[in-house]
Amino acid sequence: MLTEMLLPLAFVATLTAFIFSLLLYLKALIAPASALAPGGNSGNPIYDFFLGRELNPRICSFDCKYFCELRPGLIGWVLINLALLVQEAELRGSPSLAMWLVNGFQLLYVGDALWYEEAVLTTMDITHDGFGFMLAFGDLAWVPFTYSLQAQFLLYHPQPLELSMASVICLINAVGYCIFRGANSQKNTFRKNPSDPRVAGLETISTATGRQLLVSGWWGMVRHPNYLGDLIMALAWSLPCGVSHLLPYFYLLYFTALLVHREARDEQQCLQKYGLAWREYCRRVPYRIVPYIY
């Protein structure tokens, strides 16, 4: 049974990530200085191994980080979820409504990420962070085995879910997804072509680098509306599990901490890059993630 193999599989994935990271570190020792990540060449071997010395290590034309960033972890996450759904059907005759919701919501999220895969090229993970144990472990082990906690919980702790409550949860997920997808699509469209009719009318702030900062639309609501959508969806994924146990909400708590930390790094980098223009943007859009709260 899959549930009996999850721990051994997680151990193997962690070991694979460690060996892979070690090989990447050794490869980076002979890489040119221009290929190194900004923070991965500290001189401390443990620190550099963890964060990654090389920015985008390649084997011939194969970009290791770009491949690992989404595909193994996200596809593995969906496969584990589906296997748990099938196992619940074998145990109880059919999957519960809660299990269907968790699988459906998370399949939508993964499908969206893979469909818009090129957008990952502008993320901090790709443009700034080296590829070391931190990202390798996260991509290969952490994502598939911890992001599937809701489905794992439901297999052992089935939750009754009324259709009315399921409808409310679906609405919450839909709101989160609309914010998440709307904000990301607006940003990506503007980056590709500021003259596109879908974004041409948006208000912007000019910067010394020649780039424009969006200050209306989704990006005029809060400074990181995509993070807000992410967190609303994370809540919707946990709610089908009820409120009797904290475990299904681990992802929500972890992701909140992750996004607050990432937002702080974003703010620091944007301030260094855009200077006074970023300060003006922060004055115009005072809230970081949640309107009127944070």
Side-chain angles (χ1 to χ4, degrees):
M1 295 177 67
L2 174 67
T3 51
E4 297 173 355
M5 294 300 296
L6 281 178
L7 192 58
L9 286 171
F11 174 78
V12 171
T14 302
L15 182 61
T16 301
F18 179 84
I19 295 172
F20 186 34
S21 303
L22 183 60
L23 294 175
L24 290 174
Y25 178 79
L26 295 175
K27 177 183 179 298
L29 294 177
I30 58 173
S34 59
L36 300 182
N41 192 24
S42 68
N44 183 324
I46 297 176
Y47 182 84
D48 293 344
F49 167 79
F50 182 76
L51 285 186
R53 292 192 82 235
E54 202 170 353
L55 183 61
N56 292 104
R58 289 179 171 85
I59 301 173
C60 296
S61 61
F62 182 78
D63 190 319
C64 299
K65 183 166 70 171
Y66 180 56
F67 173 79
C68 291
E69 184 71 12
L70 292 182
R71 298 186 189 186
L74 294 189
I75 294 173
W77 174 16
V78 166
L79 291 177
I80 290 173
N81 274 357
L82 291 174
L84 292 165
L85 182 146
V86 170
Q87 190 168 343
E88 185 182 47
E90 292 175 349
L91 288 173
R92 303 188 178 98
S94 65
S96 65
L97 179 56
M99 181 69 85
W100 277 117
L101 288 185
V102 167
N103 268 262
F105 293 161
Q106 296 181 350
L107 181 61
L108 171 66
Y109 186 79
V110 170
D112 178 274
L114 296 177
W115 183 262
Y116 295 100
E117 186 178 20
E118 65 176 12
V120 79
L121 293 172
T122 61
T123 62
M124 185 181 297
D125 287 354
I126 295 291
T127 62
H128 185 268
D129 295 339
F131 191 36
F133 182 74
M134 179 181 72
L135 284 181
F137 170 75
D139 295 338
L140 302 178
W142 183 261
V143 168
F145 294 101
T146 62
Y147 286 22
S148 58
L149 277 176
Q150 286 97 347
Q152 295 178 47
F153 177 85
L154 287 172
L155 181 64
Y156 292 104
H157 306 278
Q159 300 293 315
L161 191 61
E162 297 293 334
L163 191 58
S164 57
M165 185 60 187
S167 300
V168 171
I169 295 173
C170 287
L171 179 61
I172 293 172
N173 191 75
V175 169
Y177 180 74
C178 287
I179 295 173
F180 171 81
R181 176 46 37 217
N184 281 325
S185 292
Q186 191 174 77
K187 175 183 66 175
N188 293 330
T189 300
F190 185 79
R191 280 177 171 170
K192 288 180 180 178
N193 180 17
S195 301
D196 189 296
R198 292 171 292 178
V199 295
L202 296 177
E203 190 177 355
T204 61
I205 296 175
S206 299
T207 71
T209 66
R211 298 185 65 177
Q212 304 286 319
L213 298 177
L214 285 173
V215 73
S216 63
W218 289 110
W219 300 87
M221 180 176 66
V222 290
R223 302 205 287 266
H224 301 275
N226 50 338
Y227 293 177
L228 173 62
D230 248 326
L231 293 175
I232 293 172
M233 285 189 289
L235 174 62
W237 301 350
S238 303
L239 288 174
C241 301
V243 294
S244 62
H245 203 288
L246 187 61
L247 183 63
Y249 294 86
F250 170 79
Y251 175 81
L252 174 61
L253 297 174
Y254 154 76
F255 213 54
T256 299
L258 174 72
L259 292 182
V260 168
H261 177 260
R262 180 168 291 182
E263 173 270 326
R265 292 178 64 197
D266 287 344
E267 296 276 328
Q268 185 178 19
Q269 289 188 6
C270 288
L271 180 59
Q272 292 174 352
K273 186 175 183 179
Y274 300 120
L276 292 176
W278 183 256
R279 293 187 186 278
E280 172 62 15
Y281 175 65
C282 293
R283 186 189 69 79
R284 299 272 296 274
V285 186
Y287 298 104
R288 299 170 182 249
I289 299 177
V290 182
Y292 305 105
I293 295 176
Y294 177 74

